[in-house]
Amino acid sequence: MTQLSDTQAVILSAAAQRDDGNVLPLPGSLRGGAAVKVVGALLSRGLVAETVTDSQTKADAALNRIWRNDENGCAILLHITDAGLAAIGIELEGPDTALTDANETPSADAPENTPRESDPAPKARTRREGTKQATLIAMLRAPEGATIAEIMTATGWQSHTVRGAMAGALKKKLGLEVTSEKIEGRGRVYRLPPV
């Protein structure tokens, strides 16, 4: 599995959750040279790709929706690639590699998550076995559940990454209900209902 920094994992996870696979907007704390460095590393590893559009919309740091403009003034977007999806444990079903039309320029007017009637349904994603997310789910489905420390040991993640995965990937993205209870001598234990 591809080794990612926490920032790279957050960026790729957010892009995977967007219907168009757009990497932007980047986290609010990532600006200027730091943003260029992180995106440059993702581009060089083939985890994200640039897409030139026909739009003449100017890149605007305040909107954070267009990466840059080429020499002709065309907007260049960033989108997650299949390799980027695989790096975070997501596999697309079918031969089509695009999430949606990557050449579509995001609108500064419409909020990112506003559904439009012309949007196609997102492609079904399957979880691969042996990923850190699969390990997390298996640990939480065990009758004894798991503590943050136990999950950190099994996955190599830091505590904030474990909490983020439970809140973002499991609760928001997969719709799983994570419960917790404090157990004497063990601390807070997290569980998922058995399948």
Side-chain angles (χ1 to χ4, degrees), residues 18-21 51 79-82 85 92-103 120-125:
R18 294 184 185 109
D19 289 339
D20 61 358
T51 305
H79 65 275
I80 190 168
T81 63
D82 285 348
L85 291 170
L92 287 178
E93 289 182 357
D96 189 5
T97 59
L99 294 176
T100 57
D101 187 5
N103 289 323
K123 296 203 182 332
R125 297 177 178 158

Side-chain angles (χ1 to χ4, degrees), residues 9-113:
V10 166
I11 290 170
L12 293 177
S13 294
Q17 292 177 24
R18 294 184 185 109
D19 289 339
D20 61 358
N22 196 351
V23 173
L24 301 175
L26 295 172
S29 61
L30 192 62
R31 296 277 183 233
V36 171
K37 184 176 180 181
V38 171
V39 170
L42 292 171
L43 283 166
S44 68
R45 294 169 66 186
L47 302 177
V48 300
E50 291 183 330
T51 305
V52 180
T53 66
D54 294 333
S55 172
Q56 296 290 319
T57 306
K58 296 287 183 205
D60 183 357
L63 294 176
N64 197 8
R65 300 287 296 146
I66 296 174
W67 177 238
R68 63 184 182 91
N69 295 93
D70 68 6
E71 60 278 353
N72 299 325
C74 294
I76 297 178
L77 306 179
L78 292 173
H79 65 275
I80 190 168
T81 63
D82 285 348
L85 291 170
I88 57 173
I90 298 174
E91 233 176 62
L92 287 178
E93 289 182 357
D96 189 5
T97 59
L99 294 176
T100 57
D101 187 5
N103 289 323
E104 183 180 313
T105 304
S107 168
D109 304 330
E112 171 189 327
N113 294 329

Side-chain angles (χ1 to χ4, degrees), residues 100-178:
T100 57
D101 187 5
N103 289 323
E104 183 180 313
T105 304
S107 168
D109 304 330
E112 171 189 327
N113 294 329
T114 302
R116 294 181 305 222
E117 302 221 4
S118 63
D119 285 347
K123 296 203 182 332
R125 297 177 178 158
T126 57
R127 287 185 294 250
R128 295 182 305 163
E129 295 302 316
T131 64
K132 290 180 181 183
Q133 186 179 61
T135 301
L136 172 63
I137 292 171
M139 290 179 76
L140 295 176
R141 286 229 162 106
E144 66 276 4
T147 65
I148 297 288
E150 292 166 350
I151 296 168
M152 289 171 56
T153 302
T155 61
W157 287 340
Q158 294 182 2
S159 61
H160 66 275
T161 306
V162 173
R163 288 183 184 91
M166 286 193 290
L170 301 186
K171 284 185 178 179
K172 290 181 183 176
K173 186 175 170 190
L174 300 177
L176 300 174
E177 186 61 38
V178 179

